[in-house]
């Protein structure tokens, strides 16, 4: 589109010696740089509508989408440090077709083309298809279920297990009963009915809609671990990128796609101090979303699913660059690019405030001294 001409009074003079690529200061390299994708949910079935008939899902096309992501990540220069998968790499339809292992093999073959480490996260569709023991055996780097690893000086990546409590896990009756007992306190519907046969969201309103069988919760033990981990990071002046399959902030998703005890998780994150948790990455909600939590100084980004891509542009991935003062999301296809500024850490904020006070006091002293020297009252 044509742009309005600049007013002559606002024109800047020409620089007689403009900086060239050889003289311009180089931009600092990111501290860490990694690829990310969520909810591939591949299945060898025809395209179909979702349960509510609102979205067309490209099950076979999702594998093409992953392949495109891997091709792009392999071409990154400089190379990425690692890649993260936020869970649900195959769909529950694979279970119905007795095709789970073959489908998983096709997806993992694409991830295996990445020369860097790929960190996988547990989602509900992994549990529809496999037991936890099978997931651990079949999917590289999916355990420990919750963990913390350093990704750069001053930065750690914290992976959460949002299915610590669930009612969908295969082969573990005790876990299923524990999840049913938890969920039944909040959802009056027939939770034992075959999946998809009844509307288990009937009667649930607002945030209560999170209490669905496809969700899960974190146990007190994991929350205590998370709190201790974040407190240690705050003491060391570190920041966290947190990974969770299911979002934990209502504003970056819909109520039906929230961790059951998201409020407890948020309380732990916020108590670590402003900015300690810099970014939370999630999947599960296929449309994707973004919101900033002022209480914690935390960006919450939910990545859209490759299932929703079009044949014309089968891309739904990103590269994430971690810098001292910001996080850059370099999106492709359905994932928009974003620049996420970082809040000062608690210690930095206090230091900045102290410096501002010291500067103000110094300025007042200088004015007083000048006034005394000039004889003014």
């Amino acid at each position: 589109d044509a742009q309005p001409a600049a007013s002559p009074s606002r024109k800047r003079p020409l620089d007689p010696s403009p900086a060239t690529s050889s003289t311009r200061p180089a931009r600092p390299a990111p501290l860490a740089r990694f690829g990310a994708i969520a909810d591939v949910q591949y299945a060898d079935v025809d395209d179909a509508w979702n349960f509510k008939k609102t979205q067309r899902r490209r099950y076979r096309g999702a594998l093409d989408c992953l392949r495109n992501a891997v091709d792009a990540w392999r071409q990154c220069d400089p190379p990425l440090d690692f890649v993260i998968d936020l869970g649900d790499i195959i769909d529950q339809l694979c279970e119905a077709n007795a095709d789970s292992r073959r489908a998983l093999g096709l997806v993992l073959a694409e991830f295996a083309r990445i020369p860097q480490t790929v960190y996988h996260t547990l989602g509900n569709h992994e549990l529809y298809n496999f037991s936890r023991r099978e997931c651990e055996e079949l999917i590289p780097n999916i355990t420990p279920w919750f963990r913390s690893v350093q990704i750069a000086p001053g930065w750690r990546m914290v992976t959460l297990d949002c299915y610590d409590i669930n009612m969908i896990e295969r082969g573990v009756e005790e876990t299923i009963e524990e999840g049913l007992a938890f969920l039944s306190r909040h959802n009056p519907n027939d939770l034992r009915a075959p999946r998809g046969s009844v509307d288990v969201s009937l009667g649930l309103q607002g945030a209560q809609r999170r209490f669905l069988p496809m969700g899960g919760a974190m146990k007190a033990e994991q929350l205590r671990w998370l709190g201790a981990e974040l407190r240690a990071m705050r003491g060391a002046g570190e920041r966290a990128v947190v990974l969770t399959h299911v979002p934990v902030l209502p504003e970056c998703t819909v109520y039906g796609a929230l961790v059951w005890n998201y409020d407890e998780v948020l309380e732990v994150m916020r108590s670590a101090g402003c900015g300690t948790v810099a970014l939370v990455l999630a999947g599960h909600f296929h449309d994707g979303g973004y919101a900033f939590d002022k209480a914690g100084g935390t960006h919450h980004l939910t990545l859209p699913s490759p299932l929703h891509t079009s044949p014309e542009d089968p891309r739904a991935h990103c590269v994430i660059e971690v810098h001292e003062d910001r996080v850059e999301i370099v999106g492709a296809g359905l994932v928009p690019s974003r620049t996420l500024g970082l809040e000062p850490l608690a210690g930095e904020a206090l230091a900045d405030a102290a410096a501002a006070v010291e500067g103000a006091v110094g300025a007042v002293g200088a004015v007083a001294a000048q006034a005394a020297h000039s004889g003014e009252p």
Side-chain angles (χ1 to χ4, degrees), residues 8-213:
S9 63
R10 295 177 66 87
K11 286 185 177 179
R12 297 178 61 187
L14 294 176
D15 186 345
S17 57
T20 65
S21 59
S22 60
T23 61
R24 188 183 298 118
R27 296 185 66 185
L31 301 174
R33 190 165 175 254
F34 58 96
I37 196 167
D39 298 82
V40 174
Q41 279 187 228
Y42 166 72
D44 187 12
V45 298
D46 295 338
D47 295 355
W49 294 99
N50 64 349
F51 181 73
K52 294 188 176 181
K53 312 299 182 187
T54 57
Q55 293 169 333
R56 190 78 170 172
R57 294 181 170 182
R58 298 182 60 245
Y59 291 102
R60 292 192 182 97
L63 191 62
D64 295 328
C65 198
L66 174 61
R67 186 174 296 119
N68 291 336
V70 172
D71 288 343
W73 293 330
R74 283 169 57 90
Q75 294 170 14
C76 286
D77 185 20
L80 300 177
D81 297 315
F82 56 92
V83 167
I84 62 168
D85 149 47
L86 289 163
D88 282 4
I89 52 179
I90 63 173
D91 193 84
Q92 64 177 341
L93 291 172
C94 299
E95 175 207 18
N97 292 343
D99 194 31
S100 300
R101 291 197 176 226
R102 188 185 73 88
L104 180 65
L106 291 173
V107 173
L108 291 180
E110 293 300 326
F111 278 115
R113 296 196 295 118
I114 301 170
Q116 296 84 14
T117 299
V118 179
Y119 294 100
H120 293 281
T121 307
L122 186 72
N124 52 306
H125 284 264
E126 279 81 9
L127 294 177
Y128 292 147
N129 284 278
F130 306 107
S131 67
R132 274 189 188 251
R133 188 174 69 177
E134 289 173 319
C135 287
E136 186 173 7
E137 293 172 352
L138 297 171
I139 305 174
N141 299 314
I142 198 170
T143 58
W145 304 115
F146 51 94
R147 53 194 154 161
S148 172
V149 297
Q150 185 176 42
I151 59 173
W155 285 82
R156 299 189 70 83
M157 182 173 71
V158 177
T159 302
L160 300 179
D161 177 7
C162 53
Y163 289 96
D164 211 0
I165 301 173
N166 74 85
M167 57 158 288
I168 59 176
E169 190 171 328
R170 291 169 61 93
V172 186
E173 192 66 26
E174 182 181 349
T175 298
I176 293 173
E177 290 302 320
E178 180 184 31
L180 276 167
F182 183 100
L183 201 56
S184 295
R185 294 197 295 269
H186 307 280
N187 187 327
N189 295 297
D190 182 5
L191 301 175
R192 294 184 183 273
R195 192 163 62 241
S197 63
V198 299
D199 183 0
V200 293
S201 66
L202 191 66
L204 301 181
Q205 300 293 327
Q208 294 300 109
R209 292 180 62 83
R210 71 187 187 273
F211 293 114
L212 299 174

Side-chain angles (χ1 to χ4, degrees), residues 331-372:
L334 292 183
V335 181
S337 296
R338 303 174 186 269
T339 297
L340 309 177
L342 300 180
E343 294 291 296
L345 293 171
E348 293 175 351
L350 290 174
D352 290 344
V357 170
E358 184 177 348
V361 170
V364 170
V367 170
Q370 184 179 6

Side-chain angles (χ1 to χ4, degrees), residues 274-296:
C274 185
T276 297
V277 178
L279 173 64
V280 176
L281 291 169
H284 198 57
F285 176 47
H286 290 182
D287 286 350
Y290 166 79
F292 179 71
D293 178 33
K294 292 183 179 180

Side-chain angles (χ1 to χ4, degrees), residues 221-244:
E221 177 189 0
Q222 185 178 175
L223 293 176
R224 286 193 295 269
W225 170 85
L226 176 61
E229 192 72 22
L230 294 179
R231 285 192 297 273
M233 292 174 62
R234 180 181 62 189
E238 295 179 321
R239 295 186 189 266
V241 174
V242 172
L243 312 182
T244 171

